[in-house]
Amino acid sequence: MRRNLILTALAAILTVGGFSSQAASTPAATTTQTAGKIEDGKLEVNGVRYHYLLAKGQGTPIVLLHGWASTSYMWRHVMPQLVARGHTVLAPDIRGLGDTAKPATGYEKAIVAEDIHALVAKLGLGPEVYVVGHDLGGMVAYAYAAQHRSEVARLAILDVPLPGIEPWEQITRSPRTWHFRFFAVQDVPEMLIAGREREFLKWFHNSESVNASAFSNEVEEVYAREYAVPGALRAGFEYYRAFPLDAKTNQQFAQQKLTMPVLGVGGDQSFGPIIGEHLKQVADHVEVVQIANSGHWVAEEQPAAVVSALTRFIPAPGK
C-alpha cells in the first residue's frame, strides 16, 4: 500500500513532456526500458536491498542522493527536468530510508557511498558519473567523490556542511543544529517520535524552510508513511550517530583535495552563505550558487532555481 501510494504520487508529479514514472516488476538492470521514463526498481548491493528510481537517457549519468526527513521523492520536481534534458538519472533511497532495507549498521557515509558506487556498477551506469547530494546525501556524495576520484566527473553538494571540516565544530554547537545532538542520543528520539512521525516531520520541514508551502498535506503524508515503517527512524538517526566517525574519515579525505569541479548550492537563509568557503577546504575548483528565498530544502522550496544551477554546472548529454 505504501509503495503504491508513492508510485501514484510520482506518476502524477513526475510527468514532464510525455515522460512518466512507471513501476517496474523486475530490476531495471534486467528490464528493457523506454528512454525518458522514470522506472522503479530494486537491487541488492553489499547485502542491502536498495530501492531506486532510474531514467535512461544519454551521456554521463547523474546520481541524486537525498537526506534525512526525505527520500528519493524529494527529487520529484528536479529529476523530471534533468530527464527531459536527455540525461540518465538515478535517484536511490539511501541505506535504511524509503523503500531501501534497514540494516542495523553501516551508516558511516563512506560505507553508504560504497553502496551507491556498487549500485551504479550493478546497473551498468558507470564508471563515470555526476553526483549530486542534499543534506546527508551531500555527505555521502563527498565520500563517494573522495573514494572514487577518477569516476566522479562533477560533484554538487546541496545545503549541508561536511563532518570534520571547519567550521563543523562551531556549526554543531549552534542552536541551528540542535537536532544533530538530539538525534545522536541512543533510543530516545525513536521513543519520542514513533507514532508521531507526521506531526514531527511537518514541524521539522516547516522549521527548516522559508517556502513552507512546498510541503503540502500530500507531501507530508508520503514522508510520514516512509518514516513510520519499522526501523526507519532508527536508521535515519544512525546517520547522525555516525558523525564522529565521519569527521575522522573526512579529515583524512581532505588531506588530498578533490580536483573535479564542485558546486555548492545553499539556501540564502540556510547554509548558502558559508557553503563556498566550507567546500574550498576539500576541493580545488568550487562554484557557488545561493538560492534566494529558500531555507534548507532547496530542491523542494525552489526547484526551478536548483534545476537552473545544476543544468548550468552539468554539461548537456553529448557535450
Side-chain angles (χ1 to χ4, degrees):
M1 178 65 73
R2 179 173 53 86
R3 184 168 180 267
N4 289 339
L5 173 66
I6 295 170
L7 291 175
T8 299
L10 285 168
I13 296 170
L14 298 181
T15 301
V16 177
F19 302 150
S20 64
S21 174
Q22 176 176 313
S25 59
T26 56
T30 59
T31 303
T32 301
Q33 295 192 347
T34 303
K37 288 189 175 180
I38 298 175
E39 306 275 352
D40 188 84
K42 287 190 175 182
L43 280 177
E44 184 169 315
V45 294
N46 298 338
V48 180
R49 189 161 175 79
Y50 261 77
H51 167 255
Y52 59 87
L53 302 174
L54 174 65
K56 286 193 173 179
Q58 300 177 359
T60 301
I62 301 172
V63 180
L64 302 175
L65 303 175
H66 70 87
W68 194 82
S70 304
T71 66
S72 57
Y73 180 70
M74 71 157 284
W75 302 111
R76 62 195 177 279
H77 302 303
V78 172
M79 186 175 182
Q81 299 296 330
L82 299 176
V83 173
R85 198 172 183 234
H87 291 285
T88 291
V89 186
L90 171 66
D93 289 334
I94 62 175
R95 176 185 283 240
L97 300 180
D99 278 336
T100 291
K102 296 157 179 57
T105 60
Y107 294 93
E108 296 92 331
K109 311 310 170 289
I111 292 175
V112 181
E114 291 300 85
D115 287 352
I116 305 303
H117 184 262
L119 180 63
V120 166
K122 202 162 188 177
L123 288 168
L125 300 180
E128 190 174 70
V129 293
Y130 303 121
V131 184
V132 179
H134 174 257
D135 189 74
L136 297 177
M139 299 178 185
V140 175
Y142 172 65
Y144 190 119
Q147 293 176 107
H148 302 283
R149 295 167 187 255
S150 65
E151 298 178 18
V152 176
R154 293 184 177 231
L155 171 67
I157 294 179
L158 278 55
D159 209 79
V160 72
L162 301 176
I165 306 302
E166 289 302 316
W168 175 254
E169 290 299 327
Q170 180 181 345
I171 289 170
T172 58
R173 290 195 298 268
S174 73
R176 167 76 173 75
T177 57
W178 65 271
H179 58 289
F180 286 16
R181 299 180 292 279
F182 174 54
F183 293 167
V185 178
Q186 200 72 41
D187 299 330
V188 174
E190 292 96 321
M191 177 179 63
L192 295 178
I193 297 171
R196 304 176 183 86
E197 292 85 0
R198 191 179 190 283
E199 291 81 359
F200 184 82
L201 290 171
K202 184 176 182 179
W203 177 87
F204 190 74
H205 289 142
N206 181 67
S207 72
E208 294 280 329
S209 67
V210 172
N211 179 21
S213 63
F215 294 93
S216 66
N217 288 334
E218 180 183 17
V219 170
E220 294 292 7
E221 185 65 25
V222 171
Y223 285 139
R225 286 175 179 265
E226 290 287 1
Y227 280 86
V229 172
L233 286 176
R234 174 194 51 77
F237 299 145
E238 288 298 327
Y239 278 96
Y240 291 86
R241 292 162 189 160
F243 280 173
L245 292 175
D246 297 331
K248 292 179 181 178
T249 301
N250 285 348
Q251 287 166 358
Q252 294 175 348
F253 288 155
Q255 291 177 15
Q256 181 183 356
K257 285 190 174 184
L258 302 177
T259 57
M260 77 286 289
V262 174
L263 174 67
V265 177
D268 65 347
Q269 297 186 50
S270 187
F271 290 111
I274 70 165
I275 196 167
E277 292 305 312
H278 180 66
L279 293 178
K280 287 176 183 177
Q281 297 179 69
V282 300
D284 287 330
H285 308 288
V286 178
E287 301 177 30
V288 180
V289 172
Q290 194 165 156
I291 305 296
N293 301 313
S294 184
H296 177 59
W297 319 101
V298 288
E300 294 175 282
E301 293 184 61
Q302 300 294 345
V306 170
V307 169
S308 177
L310 292 178
T311 54
R312 288 197 305 270
F313 179 65
I314 296 174
K319 291 188 178 180

